[in-house]
Amino acid sequence: MANAGGAKFEEPKVAGAAAGGAVDPATKGKEIWEGTCQACHGTGAAGAPKLGDKAAWAPRLKGGADAAIAIAIKGLNAMPPKGGYAGSDEEFKAAALYMINQSK
């Protein structure tokens, strides 16, 4: 805004997904899991597969991670779309990949 008025400030660099980079499951995915997903996937509420439970995740991953994520984005059974997460699909995908990677 200041530059539009004639100032010569350098624009700040944008990091991560906003800059076109991938969202890291190990960092952002874990953060989202801790803030949103663990409510059900940490306890197994409403039949949600618990983080790290390979047997519970196996049938959900038969079609691959991308297919499981596509279903989760839309919601399934008691799980609302994106598990109730209000952020971007790419951020949600990072959280899903974090859970999937912990459960292989």
Side-chain angles (χ1 to χ4, degrees), residues 12-101:
K13 303 296 181 222
V14 179
V23 181
D24 182 20
T27 54
K28 185 64 174 177
K30 181 178 181 185
E31 176 186 313
I32 294 166
W33 181 81
E34 289 172 345
T36 303
C37 309
Q38 77 172 337
C40 295
H41 289 283
T43 64
K50 292 171 71 173
L51 184 72
D53 185 342
K54 294 176 185 180
W57 280 92
R60 291 164 172 86
L61 296 173
K62 277 187 178 181
D66 288 339
I69 292 167
I71 291 168
I73 286 174
K74 294 177 184 174
L76 179 66
N77 300 327
M79 186 181 117
K82 295 193 294 188
Y85 179 66
S88 72
D89 286 358
E90 282 301 309
E91 290 173 336
F92 174 78
K93 181 178 179 180
L97 287 173
Y98 171 77
M99 290 187 288
I100 290 167
N101 291 338

